[in-house]
Amino acid sequence: MNRFQYASPVTKQSAVELLGSGAVVLAGGTDLLSLMKADVATPDLVVNIKEIAELKGLEHSEGSGMRIGALVTIDELLQDSRVQEEYPSLIQAADGIRSAQIRSVGTVAGDLCQRPRCWYYRHGYGLLAMQNGASMVVDGDNRYHAILGNAGPAYFVNPSSFAPALIALGASLKVSGPNGEKEIPVADFFQTPQSEAEKEYKLSDSEIVTQILVPAAAGKANATYEVREREALDWPLAAAAVSLTMQGDQVESAKVVLGHVAPVPWNSDEAAAALKGKAVSASVADDAGKAAVQQAKALSRNKFKIQLARVAVKRAILRAAGMEV
Amino acid sequence: MPEGKRPEETGSGISRRDFFKTSTAGAVSTALISKQGIAAPGEVTKLGPDPVKVKLIVNGKARRLKVEPRVTLLDALRNELDVTGPKKVCDRGTCGSCTVLMDGKPVYACSILAIEAAGNQIVTAEGLGSPDKLHPIQKAFVENDAQQCGFCTPGFIVACQSFLVENPNPSVKEIEEGLGGNLCRCGTYKGIREAVLETAAKGGFDA
Ligand SMILES: Cc1cc2nc3c(=O)[nH]c(=O)nc-3n(C[C@H](O)[C@H](O)[C@H](O)COP(=O)(O)OP(=O)(O)OC[C@H]3O[C@@H](n4cnc5c(N)ncnc54)[C@H](O)[C@@H]3O)c2cc1C
Ligand code: SF4
């Protein structure tokens, strides 16, 4: 880890003033410290945001939904009884992050801002893992890499378990920066970098996420289903989150978002279309799963992920509809 | 600051002297000194990169040390304070051998900076019991053969203790899920499960 200066501001304004080129936000540190130890992140200044009181707390308000402060930990989200009732998809996503030690300090906002787990990236080859003008991923060990949105130049997968669920629920982020506050839908937050100069999400060096705003989900059936290699201390191989608006026993509209399959959380309009106007059944859910991976393209070693993604979509739909998975 | 008074004894984990030295703000307000040291609203205060005085509260005792901001809580405990229960294995928050309690919650000491932990209550396996007065979970580990090489044991002990506080009457499935943050390379999970079940069956312990 390189040497750095450390600051612990108590207002978001002073945090934003401290930030900028060479500075980095420290929340729970469960990802940042690993990046720094690997010299993937080499900040001159670490800005600890945990003393900023206005970033704390999770609140529900009637009608307008939920506000998750940037410092709310995964554990705090899991313990919230309203979240358990109204947003099972978030609980099911949090449940997969299976380590009490990470949940106790890791934040939900930090989960969205965590950097990809691609081993080329984590070993210092950059997000695009280019060497001599060619991607090391394409000819390398790509068993955990993207099966969708993988035409290049990026092949890593978005690592966040919360992102698909938040996008399916229509959530947005509040961001503070030198020019004040702005709101950005989680669906628009992520991007596929086209060069090493770009990041995989739209946050400048001097901006911080201050809140996650989740619309009320009353009446919307929502669920997440993940497929994992190991039960703990690992990221999913494929996951899907769905949110269904029902009209009687028929799906009026659906959002289906896949995780860990593409450089961004992958919104599948194809899967949503396969559900529209139908009553949920195992075969309808399977059709939606099939539609979700229609465009998928395996790299040399990750064909197995296509089937896992298809099953994740099918089971997330069945789970949302309260059916046996 | 009056001379003679230790700089650490100002209520903050970080010395006021270091604060004044490194503060980039002109006017310094003493009204608001946060736990980690420091900034009043609107002020911009930077510490380091040279060593900074930090007070850690480890197993109930205040311990003073000087560390660079980049030093992790784990390295501070082991290398500066000789508290070697927490072990350094993966150093990436992925094995659990460095588990300590911070304000009662289990955390990976490798993934927290010492400077962040200033002022928080840190408890390691050493703080739960002593050789002549073992904590019930420590005793149960001995009785159930819950270790082989024993390198992961202090982390497991701390994780099991906090798990039992939250789950005084756990099922085997809950134990497997709740202790998922710790790995045992020798595969002594069976003994560990039995130690947790036995401790729970005996009525647990006072947290
Ligand atoms: C062994 C292990 C297994 C894991 N498994 C999973 C899993 O299955 N699914 C999953 O989704 N995650 C998983 N995680 C990741 C974990 O959830 C994240 O590391 C954690 O949520 C990050 O939160 P943090 O507060 O610790 O962030 P930090 O480590 O403090 O920060 C992470 C990054 O986000 C930036 N950042 C943090 N907060 C903000 C903010 N408010 N504004 C702007 N930037 C910010 C930081 O600068 C940094 O770059 C796992 C982690 C480990 C170590
Ligand atoms: S191998 Fe097993 S007994 Fe040995 S330290 Fe690791 S986890 Fe513990």
Side-chain angles (χ1 to χ4, degrees), chain A residues 259-322:
Chain A
H260 313 276
V261 295
V264 293
W266 190 260
N267 177 51
S268 176
D269 287 335
E270 297 84 353
L275 292 170
K276 201 174 158 73
K278 309 249 173 68
V280 176
S281 67
S283 75
V284 165
D286 188 46
D287 287 347
K290 201 166 150 192
V293 296
Q294 198 86 63
Q295 305 294 324
K297 257 214 175 96
L299 299 170
S300 59
R301 299 185 60 175
N302 66 1
K303 192 166 168 216
F304 72 103
K305 284 187 60 165
I306 297 178
Q307 175 66 14
L308 300 185
R310 174 176 169 172
V311 170
V313 169
K314 174 184 176 184
R315 294 190 181 177
I317 293 164
L318 292 176
R319 188 179 253 185

Side-chain angles (χ1 to χ4, degrees), chain A residues 1 6 37 50-51 101 104, chain B residues 36 47 70 106 110 116:
Chain A
M1 215 189 292
Y6 176 88
K37 287 171 190 171
K50 285 191 293 297
E51 298 297 310
Q101 294 93 325
S104 66
Chain B
Q36 266 101 353
L47 297 169
R70 64 174 166 169
C110 75
E116 286 180 76

Side-chain angles (χ1 to χ4, degrees), chain A residues 131-143:
Chain A
Q131 217 177 33
N132 305 322
S135 162
M136 296 166 77
V137 180
V138 172
D139 294 323
D141 191 339
N142 49 39
R143 71 185 99 165

Side-chain angles (χ1 to χ4, degrees), chain A residues 105-248:
Chain A
V105 289
T107 60
V108 181
D111 183 89
L112 295 176
C113 298
Q114 66 175 305
R115 308 302 307 272
R117 301 304 305 182
C118 164
W119 39 42
Y120 296 99
Y121 169 67
R122 295 267 162 176
H123 282 83
Y125 295 102
L127 275 178
L128 305 182
M130 299 290 275
Q131 217 177 33
N132 305 322
S135 162
M136 296 166 77
V137 180
V138 172
D139 294 323
D141 191 339
N142 49 39
R143 71 185 99 165
Y144 300 127
H145 286 77
I147 53 167
L148 283 158
N150 60 358
Y155 299 93
F156 61 83
V157 297
N158 181 280
S160 171
S161 290
F162 285 115
L166 288 169
I167 293 170
L169 290 164
S172 52
L173 301 179
K174 267 225 161 127
V175 171
S176 269
N179 305 320
E181 295 236 304
K182 65 179 182 194
E183 208 176 303
I184 173 167
V186 182
D188 299 339
F189 182 62
F190 297 98
Q191 62 184 4
T192 302
Q194 298 302 314
S195 75
E196 282 298 342
E198 284 178 8
K199 224 172 163 172
E200 71 284 10
Y201 51 81
K202 298 174 194 158
L203 204 62
S204 80
D205 288 341
S206 41
E207 289 177 322
I208 57 170
V209 174
T210 59
Q211 292 178 24
I212 305 168
L213 306 168
V214 191
K220 278 195 185 159
N222 59 85
T224 295
Y225 191 92
E226 297 180 341
V227 184
R228 289 175 173 265
E229 193 164 19
R230 296 194 300 173
E231 283 180 24
L233 294 170
D234 208 354
W235 282 255
L237 296 166
V242 300
S243 173
L244 309 175
T245 306
M246 304 297 292
Q247 177 83 262

Side-chain angles (χ1 to χ4, degrees), chain A residues 1-11 14 17-18 26-30 33-34 36-38 45-46 48 50-51 73 75 79 95 98-102 104-105 230-233, chain B residues 32 34-36 39-50 68-70 72 91-96 99 105-108 110-113 115-116 159 177-178 180-183:
Chain A
M1 215 189 292
N2 67 304
R3 279 154 55 85
F4 53 78
Q5 286 194 298
Y6 176 88
S8 211
V10 296
T11 66
S14 45
E17 279 165 27
L18 284 160
L26 169 68
T30 56
L33 263 62
S34 286
M36 296 199 302
K37 287 171 190 171
L45 173 67
V46 169
N48 172 31
K50 285 191 293 297
E51 298 297 310
T73 63
D75 204 33
Q79 303 299 331
D95 185 55
R98 201 58 74 66
S99 151
Q101 294 93 325
I102 289 167
S104 66
V105 289
R230 296 194 300 173
E231 283 180 24
L233 294 170
Chain B
L32 204 150
S34 79
K35 180 172 64 63
Q36 266 101 353
E43 268 177 24
V44 177
T45 305
K46 297 176 187 169
L47 297 169
D50 292 332
E68 294 179 353
R70 64 174 166 169
T72 63
D91 205 24
R92 296 288 189 281
T94 312
C95 79
T99 303
K105 287 185 297 189
V107 299
Y108 292 137
C110 75
S111 298
I112 289 176
L113 298 172
I115 195 170
E116 286 180 76
E177 290 183 0
N182 293 67
L183 298 178

